Amino acid sequence: MQNLTQLQYWLYEHIPACQALGLVLQQAEAGKVTLSADFAINRNHHGTIFGGSQSLMATACAWLAVHTQFTQAQGNIVIRQSHIRYLAPANDKIVASCQILPEQKHACQTMLDKKDKGKITVLCQLSCHKQTVAVFEGEFVINTARSSSDKYNHDSK
């Protein structure tokens, strides 16, 4: 697995909006990711963090959790559907965190072993000053079959 600095660089290079929003990886282990976002870059006219920034942050966090858990996919992971629920305004820096549970990993790995494709639902919590401000649920599709395109390969030159 890539180290935190390499993964941060990869994220900015392949999803430039993450850099534009100032998303910073705090933790990235197999299936467990934490991101933070600066308030000043993501604030809106109400003095809170823009909902679209929160949605992108949660999507990126969940995608990275899948990516770190299923490295054999080499980034060939897409979001199929998602839902976010905003619970409270975020008036300062926010943190997104998610963790893939063992039973989710096992179920997805079973699909990958049988068909080279799997799907997994990931929950992500966004918090501000340790208060939950939003919850996200995203379903991701993973493809581990070899393809003729290397556009998702981390080692592309």
Side-chain angles (χ1 to χ4, degrees), residues 63 66-68 70 73-79 140-143 152:
W63 187 94
V66 175
H67 173 68
T68 58
F70 299 98
Q74 298 183 337
N76 196 3
I77 303 160
V78 295
I79 189 160
F140 294 83
V141 176
I142 304 160
N143 187 341
Y152 295 109

Side-chain angles (χ1 to χ4, degrees), residues 18-70:
C18 292
Q19 184 173 15
L21 295 180
L23 301 187
V24 177
L25 273 166
Q26 302 294 319
Q27 175 187 17
E29 300 171 14
K32 186 175 183 178
V33 174
T34 304
L35 286 172
S36 64
D38 183 64
F39 175 75
I41 297 171
N42 294 287
R43 68 179 174 80
N44 62 23
H45 61 290
H46 296 294
T48 60
I49 297 221
F50 178 61
S53 295
Q54 292 181 56
S55 182
L56 175 63
M57 182 181 192
T59 303
C61 188
W63 187 94
L64 284 166
V66 175
H67 173 68
T68 58
Q69 185 66 67
F70 299 98

Side-chain angles (χ1 to χ4, degrees), residues 70 72-74 76-77 107-119 141-147:
F70 299 98
Q72 70 272 29
Q74 298 183 337
N76 196 3
I77 303 160
C108 186
Q109 189 61 57
T110 299
M111 287 183 258
L112 290 170
D113 291 344
K114 288 181 181 177
K115 301 179 184 179
D116 289 330
K117 273 190 176 178
K119 65 180 179 177
V141 176
I142 304 160
N143 187 341
T144 57
R146 290 265 175 211
S147 70

Side-chain angles (χ1 to χ4, degrees), residues 3-19:
N3 70 36
L4 204 58
T5 303
Q6 290 173 320
L7 195 54
Q8 179 83 54
Y9 177 78
W10 188 93
L11 182 66
Y12 286 176
E13 184 179 336
H14 290 85
I15 309 172
C18 292
Q19 184 173 15

